[in-house]
Amino acid sequence: RGPALQNPAHTTATRPPAMPKLVLTYFPVRAKAEALRMILDYGKVEYEFVVTGGEAYGKAKAEGAFPFDQVPVLDVDGERLAQSG
């Protein structure tokens, strides 16, 4: 292995990075958000899955809760991320 891998400045073995709080919001179906859910589960990454739909989704959408008026959305430490296209 190269010297960079042996240098303690390049490793997180002693100081794991702080994990952000993740909240994934989507409908109760396996569709657009499923790949992300599978990746998070495979990596044993903690996240909260919020199910939306029906009147709750319509109200939140009308209030501008979803960028580009669509889901899924992923909140990372309170910052909302969404697919743009």
Side-chain angles (χ1 to χ4, degrees):
R1 300 199 175 204
L5 295 177
Q6 297 171 357
N7 186 339
H10 292 91
T11 182
T12 58
T14 56
R15 281 184 304 135
M19 292 298 295
K21 180 180 179 185
L22 302 176
V23 180
L24 177 61
T25 304
Y26 195 57
F27 302 121
V29 297
R30 291 183 175 175
K32 287 185 177 182
E34 191 64 13
L36 178 55
R37 290 178 60 196
M38 290 174 68
I39 290 167
L40 292 171
D41 288 340
Y42 182 80
K44 297 179 177 57
V45 175
E46 289 186 31
Y47 69 99
E48 178 182 351
F49 182 62
V50 176
V51 176
T52 190
E55 290 181 25
Y57 171 73
K59 181 179 177 185
K61 183 177 174 181
E63 293 172 352
F66 304 117
F68 312 109
D69 292 331
Q70 64 183 10
V71 290
V73 293
L74 179 66
D75 294 305
V76 181
D77 284 338
E79 182 177 349
R80 184 152 279 188
L81 305 174
Q83 180 176 314
S84 63

